[in-house]
């Protein structure tokens, strides 16, 4: 178990479409456990493999209200319904928050950490987290889902914060 480094936007492989997981091996399961540790260390509600520098279709999540913890491998959204705005942030762009429109209810198919297929419905925050994390597997971030002016303003804000983070790292 280990806390991994989180890749900051826009470094690789955050902008690429991640590769499917061929087989859910022990190595993949261990990666998922490290991702849970990393997500918890940063008090996040979700973390995708590209955010720890791994080019694989896998993410973990922790829905805080129902305390549902899941690792989803090769996830696909089969169906979606409704639309609502909700605030999102991202461990790859810390301190940046904005409202993002997402489907309210989704139907999801994935493999679990033992390679067993699963299908379930999710709504509200759980559905929002899954949509946010699935975007990471397709090289997208939450700011790609908002209007162009908000996106520009938030990216500018992020540039300032990122500079502060890297100069703080330089001093250590
Ligand atoms: Zn994110």
């Amino acid at each position: 178990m280990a806390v991994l480094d989180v890749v900051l936007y826009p470094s690789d492989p955050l902008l690429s479409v991640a590769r499917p997981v061929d087989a859910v091996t022990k190595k993949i399961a261990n990666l998922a456990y490290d991702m849970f540790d990393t997500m918890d260390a940063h008090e996040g509600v979700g973390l995708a493999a590209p955010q720890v520098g791994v080019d694989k279709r896998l993410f973990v999540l922790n829905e805080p209200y129902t305390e549902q913890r899941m690792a989803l491998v090769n996830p696909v959204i089969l169906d979606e319904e409704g639309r609502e705005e909700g605030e999102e942030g991202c461990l790859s762009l810390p301190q940046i928050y904005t409202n993002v429109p997402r489907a309210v209810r989704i139907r999801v198919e994935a493999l679990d950490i033992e390679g067993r297929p699963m299908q379930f419905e999710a709504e509200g925050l759980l559905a929002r987290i899954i949509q946010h994390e699935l975007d990471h597997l397709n090289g997208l971030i939450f700011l790609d889902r908002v209007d162009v002016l908000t996106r520009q303003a938030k990216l500018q804000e992020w540039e300032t914060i990122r500079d502060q983070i890297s100069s703080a790292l330089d001093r250590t």
Side-chain angles (χ1 to χ4, degrees), residues 25-68:
T25 56
K26 185 105 184 92
K27 204 174 152 195
I28 292 290
N30 285 336
L31 169 63
Y33 295 135
D34 286 346
M35 286 169 59
F36 275 117
D37 286 350
T38 308
M39 173 179 70
D40 293 342
H42 292 276
E43 295 177 351
V45 296
L47 184 70
Q51 292 183 276
V52 292
V54 178
D55 175 20
K56 295 235 183 309
R57 301 188 77 80
L58 156 72
F59 63 76
V60 298
L61 66 86
N62 176 35
E63 201 282 288
Y65 300 116
T66 56
E67 294 180 350
Q68 282 189 83

Side-chain angles (χ1 to χ4, degrees), residues 14 46-48 51 88-93 132-133 136 140-142:
L14 287 179
L47 184 70
Q51 292 183 276
E88 293 184 21
C90 181
L91 294 180
S92 293
L93 298 87
H132 177 118
E133 299 311 326
H136 278 303
L140 298 172
I141 60 161
F142 65 131

Side-chain angles (χ1 to χ4, degrees), residues 29-164:
N30 285 336
L31 169 63
Y33 295 135
D34 286 346
M35 286 169 59
F36 275 117
D37 286 350
T38 308
M39 173 179 70
D40 293 342
H42 292 276
E43 295 177 351
V45 296
L47 184 70
Q51 292 183 276
V52 292
V54 178
D55 175 20
K56 295 235 183 309
R57 301 188 77 80
L58 156 72
F59 63 76
V60 298
L61 66 86
N62 176 35
E63 201 282 288
Y65 300 116
T66 56
E67 294 180 350
Q68 282 189 83
R69 290 169 74 79
M70 291 192 236
L72 299 189
V73 178
N74 297 340
V76 178
I77 293 177
L78 300 172
D79 210 357
E80 59 172 66
E81 203 183 290
R83 208 83 189 145
E84 74 183 356
E85 298 242 336
E87 191 175 65
E88 293 184 21
C90 181
L91 294 180
S92 293
L93 298 87
Q95 300 174 50
I96 300 295
Y97 299 92
T98 191
N99 278 335
V100 181
R102 299 282 188 191
V104 181
R105 271 175 300 279
I106 56 175
R107 181 150 196 89
V108 185
E109 188 178 70
L111 299 177
D112 71 12
I113 213 57
E114 269 139 33
R116 293 177 300 218
M118 58 172 158
Q119 228 190 73
F120 61 96
E121 270 169 34
E123 61 175 88
L125 182 58
L126 180 60
R128 176 169 296 278
I129 296 169
I130 291 170
Q131 291 170 82
H132 177 118
E133 299 311 326
L134 194 45
D135 272 355
H136 278 303
L137 306 185
N138 293 323
L140 298 172
I141 60 161
F142 65 131
L143 297 182
D144 296 322
R145 297 285 185 191
V146 301
D147 66 89
V148 113
L149 289 180
T150 308
R151 182 173 190 275
Q152 277 171 0
K154 290 292 166 182
L155 283 177
Q156 220 157 49
E157 205 181 307
W158 167 237
E159 232 171 89
T160 311
I161 292 167
R162 195 185 55 200
D163 288 348
Q164 285 164 1

